[in-house]
Amino acid sequence: MYPFQTAPVQTGEPRTEAEPSRTPAVSAAQGGWARELPVRRILRFAVVGGAGTVVNTVVLYILHRLLHVPLVVASAVAVELAVVHNYMLNDRWTFAARAPSLRRFGRFNVSMLGGLAVNVLALWALVHGGVHLVVANLLAIGVAFAVNYTSSSLWVWGRSRGSSR
């Protein structure tokens, strides 16, 4: 069964109020915003980040508490395993790439390192500006999330770079 769609007929006469217009407001109401604001992709990116936090925490606990690996080493390994986890899920689920790419993986690592720097700098600036530590941390996480998503969307998985996909 094929769904039918109606198309406006151009008669040269003025349109009546009952006819739908193709203004941005109507387009947005008919799903145009879904194309302009990738809400589903942002939510998927957030879910992957949450799952990566679980991976990081579990690996850190196992390495440091159970296997007695030094904290700095355990933390570095846990972070990188979470980055690998997040890259694989984002590559397949969030950005729907056809196959993993070493180039995208390298970019993702750099992007996450940049997000970490933004997080630390924002936290430092907010705390030194008089914002409560917990509130500052939550705000810094939000800023870093925005930077991570934007860099991932535009640079790591950017649609304009056909060769990097």
Side-chain angles (χ1 to χ4, degrees):
M1 198 84 183
Y2 295 101
F4 292 98
Q5 292 182 326
T6 60
V9 177
Q10 298 296 327
T11 63
E13 297 177 2
R15 206 174 35 202
T16 66
E17 289 300 314
E19 293 176 327
S21 70
R22 293 290 174 204
T23 63
V26 171
S27 176
Q30 294 173 345
W33 290 113
R35 280 181 237 120
E36 293 175 29
L37 298 173
V39 174
R40 177 179 282 172
R41 190 184 309 155
I42 293 169
L43 289 174
R44 286 182 176 188
F45 194 82
V47 167
V48 169
T53 301
V54 172
V55 168
N56 180 309
T57 304
V58 168
V59 170
L60 178 65
Y61 184 84
I62 290 170
L63 290 176
H64 185 65
R65 291 288 189 178
L66 301 180
L67 300 178
H68 307 291
V69 173
L71 182 60
V72 172
V73 174
S75 179
V77 170
V79 166
E80 190 56 32
L81 284 177
V83 167
V84 170
H85 166 272
N86 288 4
Y87 169 76
M88 295 304 289
L89 281 180
N90 278 319
D91 197 55
R92 195 70 163 140
W93 186 50
T94 306
F95 295 98
R98 292 184 184 174
S101 156
L102 194 54
R103 183 175 183 177
R104 275 195 313 272
F105 178 67
R107 287 181 174 189
F108 186 70
N109 260 300
V110 170
S111 175
M112 294 300 106
L113 191 58
L116 174 63
V118 166
N119 186 309
V120 170
L121 289 172
L123 178 64
W124 181 88
L126 289 166
V127 168
H128 280 80
V131 178
H132 185 275
L133 177 65
V134 174
V135 173
N137 190 46
L138 293 173
L139 291 171
I141 288 170
V143 171
F145 175 83
V147 167
N148 284 337
Y149 176 78
T150 301
S151 65
S152 290
S153 183
L154 298 177
W155 185 54
V156 178
W157 283 278
R159 300 269 188 233
S160 63
R161 298 184 182 275
S163 63
S164 67
R165 278 209 34 111

